[in-house]
Amino acid sequence: MADVSMEKIVQLCKSRGFVFPSSEIYGGFAAVYDYGQLGVELANNIKSAWWKAMVQYRSDVVGLDSAIFMSPKVWEASGHVTGFSDPLAECKSCHARVRVDHLLEEIGVIADEKMSEEQINSLFTENMAKVACPKCGKHDFSPAKSFNLLVKANLGNFTNDLTREPVYLRGETCQGIYVNFANVLTSSRKRVPFGIAQIGKAFRNEITARQFVFRTREFEQMEMQYFTHPDQEMVEYERLRQLRWQYYLDLGIKAENLQWHKHENLVFYAKEAYDIEYRYPFGFTELEGVHARGDYDLTQHSKFSGTMLDYTDPVTNEKYTPHIIESSVGVGRTLLAVLVDAYTEEEVEGEVRVVLKLPKALAPMKIAVLPLSKKEELQGPANNILTSLKRNWMVDYDETQSIGKRYRRQDEIGTPYCVTVDFETLNDQAVTVRDRDTMAQERVAIVDLENYFKQKLA
Ligand code: GAP
């Protein structure tokens, strides 16, 4: 397990403005969260790092932003209307709804959401005495039933009849990529192999809403779908797996907190599926999925739409349906992993110093400007420095309480550098720059500050 508890992470997120429960003044709204003033910066930095790695630094991948609402036929073709479900059971004593695969996993029985209702129920009955209701602790449940996770809406239905065919909020962003395959192919003049990446919201009616932003009903996905020749699928798949592993190391995640998990129960069309797992405070579990999906997606959409989504090689004239490999990860799950990885408690002069040792590229605030006193003679130069640094970076400003307390506040939110404007500044036109990790301080001339941080934050 990670060294930090979930309670500490949740508390830090709430008190410092990373994550708030949704609609909190109304008592909250289960499994939905809002990102506060620091959370939105951290999430944006995570999305930007992903986009750079998956789109900007590559010449074989392009971006996309498809709509959340799509034709309901998309979800029929993809299999979500009939097959996108989790095994749900009810505690006969307190009526709590539980996810059976998760309960089984907790007692060490390998279960998978991809198992059939029959398979899950046979495992469930066999182990009923060992699984306890998380709410009341009893061991008596109804049989597991498959519960569809798609979230319905009434967009475009101008009657009051809500039983009419619903539209769905997308359950995953990749379907928008598949249905735009031909559009991107012809407008970008890309050749197979190539990929399409997008970041966007997805919605799932998750049965159990636990573990904070790890599993939510509204969340953001970062997905890249890579179209390959059938013979190259597994070669490209291995390459993608290595790339995605390296991506997390480059992001600053500690290698000892990552591991691969191979799926044994594959959906019928999948060739191979691995998860990259992170060591969250509740154990190693899925951060990202890397899947080899065969030709299932383009074949299904060709069949249901009547538009052939195939590809003709311009050199060999070979015509085929490209096979797809995908990398899929949630922004919230990454944000939680990044926070857990960075959370550090150190003893300094007999006190505990909480520091988020975030990689500089991800830190919500890069610099904090701290005038030693609220006196106008210091506020003037401090504000000038703030205005000038803000042109390049997110910069915080804090003039309340002692300088020691202000350093601690910046440590807790992971700000790499603090700039202290003191009375000496009025004489020497220089400031003290303090490093978050080493706590070392150095004097830097105000005129040199921009270049100094350009190097430090490069
Ligand atoms: N297109 C494939 C796909 O959606 P998935 O395993 O269902 O596969 C991929 O989801 C990733 O999306 C997960 O590894 C996780 O990071 C994120 N994710 C899925 N459901 C989530 C939820 N309810 N809350 C937060 N993130 C979620």
Side-chain angles (χ1 to χ4, degrees):
M1 300 277 177
D3 303 329
V4 56
S5 67
M6 273 309 281
E7 288 70 28
K8 281 190 179 170
I9 294 289
V10 173
Q11 159 65 18
L12 179 84
C13 282
K14 172 81 197 302
S15 65
R16 312 302 272 121
F18 283 96
V19 182
F20 304 128
S22 163
S23 321
E24 198 181 10
I25 59 168
Y26 288 97
F29 193 58
V32 185
Y33 289 91
D34 299 336
Y35 289 94
Q37 65 278 12
L38 296 182
V40 67
E41 297 299 335
L42 178 54
N44 282 345
N45 294 340
I46 287 170
K47 287 187 269 185
S48 162
W50 185 89
W51 196 262
K52 280 183 184 151
M54 300 303 273
V55 183
Q56 187 183 327
Y57 297 159
R58 303 180 59 142
S59 43
D60 58 345
V61 179
V62 295
L64 179 80
D65 186 9
S66 68
I68 285 173
F69 286 111
M70 306 171 80
S71 162
K73 296 217 159 27
V74 169
W75 304 105
E76 283 173 38
S78 66
H80 282 75
V81 172
T82 49
F84 187 47
S85 49
D86 281 338
L88 164 77
E90 198 174 302
C91 170
K92 285 190 183 163
S93 177
C94 73
H95 303 289
R97 276 166 300 183
V98 294
R99 239 185 97 167
V100 174
D101 53 334
H102 287 172
L103 281 188
L104 288 170
E105 267 163 30
E106 275 167 26
I107 57 159
V109 176
I110 304 296
D112 199 298
E113 72 262 34
K114 288 170 190 89
M115 281 179 172
S116 71
E117 205 171 278
E118 214 180 0
Q119 282 172 308
I120 285 270
N121 264 319
S122 124
L123 277 180
F124 196 32
T125 316
E126 220 173 278
N127 293 285
M128 189 75 82
K130 285 187 248 159
V131 291
C133 169
K135 206 167 152 201
C136 72
K138 300 258 166 62
H139 303 269
D140 198 10
F141 297 93
S142 68
K145 276 209 166 68
S146 292
F147 176 78
N148 192 286
L149 302 184
L150 281 179
V151 177
K152 292 176 185 167
N154 68 341
L155 187 86
N157 174 2
F158 300 107
T159 73
N160 285 323
D161 178 5
L162 295 182
T163 62
R164 278 171 56 148
E165 186 190 42
V167 292
Y168 303 98
L169 278 81
R170 65 181 173 202
E172 56 181 9
T173 54
C174 58
Q175 297 302 328
I177 294 179
Y178 306 145
V179 301
N180 277 296
F181 167 74
N183 282 336
V184 173
L185 189 64
T186 48
S187 59
S188 70
R189 306 183 69 245
K190 287 280 168 217
R191 299 285 168 252
V192 170
F194 77 97
I196 306 178
Q198 88 163 317
I199 300 176
K201 290 262 171 142
F203 302 83
R204 296 182 188 179
N205 228 342
E206 297 285 357
I207 299 164
T208 48
R210 286 178 293 160
Q211 296 149 339
F212 197 42
V213 293
F214 178 83
R215 188 181 309 284
T216 51
R217 293 188 177 133
E218 173 179 339
F219 57 100
E220 246 180 321
Q221 281 187 315
M222 304 183 280
E223 296 201 292
M224 197 278 280
Q225 309 292 316
Y226 201 72
F227 303 89
T228 70
H229 186 283
D231 294 346
Q232 287 301 305
E233 180 179 6
M234 296 318 287
V235 176
E236 294 292 355
Y237 181 67
E238 278 313 310
R239 205 200 312 260
L240 184 62
R241 286 213 307 125
Q242 298 324 314
L243 277 173
R244 293 306 298 157
W245 183 265
Q246 189 57 43
Y247 161 84
Y248 288 107
L249 300 183
D250 294 346
L251 202 62
I253 300 278
K254 299 180 190 95
E256 68 263 29
N257 290 336
L258 293 168
Q259 71 180 20
W260 285 108
H261 166 77
K262 185 175 186 193
H263 280 262
E264 300 303 337
N265 289 299
L266 295 173
V267 278
F268 68 93
Y269 55 82
K271 291 246 182 75
E272 205 158 272
Y274 273 89
D275 291 339
I276 295 178
E277 295 189 330
Y278 179 75
R279 195 161 64 105
Y280 292 100
F282 36 86
F284 266 110
T285 188
E286 178 182 352
L287 164 61
E288 147 157 7
V290 190
H291 310 133
R293 304 177 63 108
D295 64 357
Y296 176 76
D297 306 288
L298 293 185
T299 305
Q300 284 295 101
H301 286 303
S302 298
K303 203 155 89 190
F304 278 70
S305 68
T307 303
M308 283 311 290
L309 300 175
D310 50 23
Y311 176 76
T312 305
D313 188 289
V315 179
T316 62
N317 258 340
E318 185 190 1
K319 193 172 178 168
Y320 59 89
T321 303
H323 284 213
I324 292 173
I325 56 173
E326 79 169 346
S327 147
S328 174
V329 60
V331 174
R333 263 183 215 194
T334 311
L335 183 137
L336 185 57
V338 161
L339 285 177
V340 170
D341 224 66
Y343 187 95
T344 316
E345 286 182 5
E346 294 172 349
E347 206 186 300
V348 177
E349 290 163 8
E351 282 185 18
V352 175
R353 175 174 96 114
V354 173
V355 203
L356 279 187
K357 294 196 171 173
L358 290 168
K360 291 172 194 172
L362 298 185
M365 293 291 157
K366 308 295 185 218
I367 305 160
V369 175
L370 315 173
L372 199 61
S373 111
K374 277 187 195 166
K375 291 210 168 94
E376 249 174 61
E377 52 192 316
L378 294 191
Q379 281 176 334
N383 271 304
N384 288 342
I385 292 169
L386 175 71
T387 310
S388 127
L389 294 178
K390 262 182 168 293
R391 286 199 297 259
N392 290 303
W393 301 283
M394 287 302 298
V395 186
D396 203 1
Y397 181 88
D398 190 357
E399 56 178 24
T400 55
Q401 294 190 304
S402 74
I403 193 71
K405 284 203 170 118
R406 282 183 271 165
Y407 283 154
R408 292 290 180 271
R409 277 206 292 270
Q410 295 302 328
D411 289 343
E412 247 194 304
I413 64 171
T415 308
Y417 298 102
C418 288
V419 170
T420 307
V421 179
D422 52 29
F423 290 100
E424 197 47 38
T425 305
L426 304 177
N427 300 323
D428 66 0
Q429 297 301 307
V431 289
T432 300
V433 177
R434 174 202 184 251
D435 182 294
R436 175 196 70 195
D437 298 336
T438 62
M439 293 188 286
Q441 304 191 357
E442 64 177 317
R443 205 74 184 156
V444 180
I446 294 173
V447 287
D448 296 335
L449 266 185
E450 190 171 324
N451 277 338
Y452 174 88
F453 285 124
K454 275 189 178 152
Q455 280 179 19
K456 290 281 185 185
L457 293 164

Coordinates of all heavy atoms in Angstrom, one line a residue, residues 301-330:
H301 N -19.2 -0.9 -36.8 CA -19.7 0.4 -37.3 C -20.0 0.3 -38.8 O -20.9 1.0 -39.3 CB -18.8 1.5 -36.9 CG -18.9 1.9 -35.4 ND1 -20.1 2.2 -34.8 CD2 -18.0 1.9 -34.4 CE1 -19.9 2.4 -33.5 NE2 -18.6 2.3 -33.3
S302 N -19.2 -0.5 -39.5 CA -19.5 -0.6 -40.9 C -20.8 -1.3 -41.1 O -21.7 -0.9 -41.9 CB -18.4 -1.5 -41.6 OG -17.2 -0.9 -41.5
K303 N -21.1 -2.4 -40.3 CA -22.3 -3.2 -40.4 C -23.5 -2.3 -40.0 O -24.5 -2.3 -40.7 CB -22.2 -4.4 -39.4 CG -23.0 -5.5 -39.8 CD -22.4 -6.8 -39.2 CE -22.9 -7.1 -37.8 NZ -22.3 -8.2 -37.1
F304 N -23.4 -1.6 -38.9 CA -24.6 -0.9 -38.4 C -24.9 0.4 -39.2 O -26.0 0.8 -39.3 CB -24.5 -0.6 -36.9 CG -24.9 -1.7 -36.0 CD1 -24.1 -2.9 -36.0 CD2 -26.0 -1.7 -35.3 CE1 -24.4 -4.0 -35.2 CE2 -26.4 -2.8 -34.5 CZ -25.6 -3.9 -34.4
S305 N -23.8 1.0 -39.7 CA -24.0 2.3 -40.4 C -24.2 2.1 -41.9 O -24.8 3.0 -42.6 CB -22.8 3.2 -40.2 OG -21.7 2.7 -40.9
G306 N -23.7 1.0 -42.5 CA -23.8 0.8 -43.9 C -22.6 1.5 -44.6 O -22.5 1.4 -45.8
T307 N -21.8 2.2 -43.9 CA -20.6 2.8 -44.5 C -19.4 1.9 -44.2 O -19.1 1.7 -43.1 CB -20.3 4.2 -43.8 OG1 -21.5 5.0 -44.0 CG2 -19.1 4.9 -44.4
M308 N -18.7 1.5 -45.3 CA -17.6 0.6 -45.1 C -16.4 1.3 -44.5 O -15.9 2.3 -45.2 CB -17.2 0.0 -46.5 CG -18.2 -1.2 -46.9 SD -18.5 -2.4 -45.6 CE -16.9 -3.2 -45.5
L309 N -16.0 1.0 -43.4 CA -14.8 1.6 -42.7 C -13.6 0.7 -43.0 O -13.0 0.1 -42.0 CB -15.1 1.8 -41.3 CG -16.3 2.7 -41.0 CD1 -16.5 2.8 -39.5 CD2 -16.1 4.1 -41.5
D310 N -13.2 0.7 -44.2 CA -12.0 -0.1 -44.5 C -10.9 0.8 -45.1 O -11.1 2.0 -45.2 CB -12.3 -1.3 -45.4 CG -13.1 -0.9 -46.6 OD1 -13.0 0.3 -47.0 OD2 -13.8 -1.8 -47.2
Y311 N -9.8 0.2 -45.5 CA -8.7 0.9 -45.9 C -8.0 0.3 -47.1 O -7.9 -1.0 -47.1 CB -7.7 1.0 -44.7 CG -6.4 1.7 -45.1 CD1 -6.3 3.1 -45.2 CD2 -5.2 1.0 -45.2 CE1 -5.1 3.7 -45.5 CE2 -4.0 1.6 -45.5 CZ -4.0 3.0 -45.6 OH -2.8 3.6 -45.9
T312 N -7.6 1.0 -48.1 CA -6.9 0.5 -49.2 C -5.5 1.0 -49.2 O -5.3 2.3 -49.2 CB -7.6 0.8 -50.6 OG1 -8.9 0.4 -50.5 CG2 -6.9 0.1 -51.7
D313 N -4.5 0.1 -49.1 CA -3.1 0.6 -49.1 C -2.7 1.2 -50.4 O -2.9 0.6 -51.5 CB -2.2 -0.6 -48.8 CG -0.8 -0.2 -48.5 OD1 -0.1 0.2 -49.5 OD2 -0.3 -0.3 -47.4
P314 N -2.2 2.5 -50.4 CA -2.0 3.1 -51.7 C -0.8 2.5 -52.4 O -0.7 2.7 -53.7 CB -1.6 4.6 -51.2 CG -1.2 4.5 -49.8 CD -1.9 3.3 -49.2
V315 N 0.1 1.8 -51.8 CA 1.2 1.1 -52.5 C 0.8 -0.2 -53.0 O 1.0 -0.6 -54.2 CB 2.4 1.1 -51.6 CG1 3.6 0.4 -52.3 CG2 2.8 2.5 -51.1
T316 N 0.3 -1.1 -52.1 CA 0.1 -2.5 -52.5 C -1.4 -2.7 -53.0 O -1.7 -3.8 -53.5 CB 0.2 -3.4 -51.3 OG1 -0.7 -3.0 -50.3 CG2 1.6 -3.3 -50.7
N317 N -2.2 -1.7 -52.8 CA -3.7 -1.8 -53.2 C -4.4 -2.9 -52.4 O -5.5 -3.2 -52.7 CB -3.8 -2.2 -54.7 CG -4.2 -1.0 -55.5 OD1 -4.6 0.0 -54.9 ND2 -3.9 -1.1 -56.8
E318 N -3.8 -3.4 -51.3 CA -4.4 -4.3 -50.4 C -5.6 -3.6 -49.7 O -5.4 -2.5 -49.1 CB -3.5 -4.9 -49.4 CG -4.1 -6.0 -48.5 CD -3.2 -6.4 -47.4 OE1 -2.1 -5.8 -47.2 OE2 -3.6 -7.3 -46.6
K319 N -6.8 -4.3 -49.6 CA -7.9 -3.6 -48.9 C -8.2 -4.5 -47.7 O -8.3 -5.7 -47.7 CB -9.1 -3.7 -49.9 CG -10.3 -2.9 -49.4 CD -11.3 -2.9 -50.5 CE -12.5 -2.1 -50.1 NZ -13.4 -1.9 -51.2
Y320 N -8.3 -3.8 -46.6 CA -8.5 -4.5 -45.3 C -9.2 -3.6 -44.3 O -9.2 -2.4 -44.4 CB -7.3 -5.1 -44.7 CG -6.2 -4.1 -44.5 CD1 -6.1 -3.4 -43.2 CD2 -5.2 -3.7 -45.4 CE1 -5.1 -2.5 -42.9 CE2 -4.2 -2.8 -45.2 CZ -4.2 -2.2 -43.9 OH -3.2 -1.3 -43.6
T321 N -9.8 -4.2 -43.2 CA -10.3 -3.4 -42.1 C -9.2 -3.3 -41.1 O -8.7 -4.3 -40.6 CB -11.5 -4.2 -41.5 OG1 -12.5 -4.4 -42.5 CG2 -12.1 -3.4 -40.4
P322 N -8.8 -2.1 -40.8 CA -7.7 -1.9 -39.8 C -8.0 -2.5 -38.5 O -9.2 -2.5 -38.0 CB -7.5 -0.4 -39.7 CG -8.0 0.1 -41.0 CD -9.1 -0.8 -41.4
H323 N -7.0 -3.0 -37.8 CA -7.1 -3.5 -36.4 C -6.8 -2.3 -35.5 O -5.9 -1.5 -35.9 CB -6.3 -4.7 -36.2 CG -6.8 -6.0 -36.8 ND1 -6.7 -7.2 -36.2 CD2 -7.6 -6.1 -37.9 CE1 -7.3 -8.1 -36.9 NE2 -7.8 -7.5 -38.0
I324 N -7.4 -2.3 -34.3 CA -7.2 -1.2 -33.4 C -6.5 -1.6 -32.1 O -6.9 -2.6 -31.5 CB -8.5 -0.5 -33.1 CG1 -9.1 0.1 -34.4 CG2 -8.4 0.5 -32.0 CD1 -10.5 0.7 -34.2
I325 N -5.5 -0.8 -31.7 CA -4.9 -1.0 -30.4 C -5.2 0.4 -29.7 O -5.2 1.4 -30.3 CB -3.4 -1.3 -30.4 CG1 -2.7 -0.2 -31.2 CG2 -3.2 -2.7 -30.9 CD1 -1.2 -0.4 -31.1
E326 N -5.5 0.3 -28.4 CA -5.9 1.5 -27.7 C -5.2 1.7 -26.4 O -4.8 0.7 -25.7 CB -7.4 1.6 -27.4 CG -7.9 0.7 -26.2 CD -9.3 1.0 -25.8 OE1 -9.9 2.0 -26.2 OE2 -9.8 0.2 -25.0
S327 N -5.0 3.0 -26.0 CA -4.5 3.3 -24.7 C -5.6 4.2 -24.1 O -6.1 5.2 -24.7 CB -3.2 4.1 -24.8 OG -3.1 5.1 -23.8
S328 N -6.1 3.9 -22.9 CA -7.2 4.6 -22.3 C -7.0 4.8 -20.8 O -6.8 3.9 -20.1 CB -8.5 3.8 -22.6 OG -9.6 4.4 -21.9
V329 N -7.1 6.1 -20.5 CA -6.8 6.4 -19.0 C -7.7 7.6 -18.6 O -8.0 8.5 -19.4 CB -5.3 6.7 -18.8 CG1 -4.8 7.9 -19.6 CG2 -5.1 7.0 -17.3
G330 N -8.1 7.6 -17.3 CA -8.9 8.7 -16.8 C -8.1 9.8 -16.3 O -7.0 9.5 -15.7

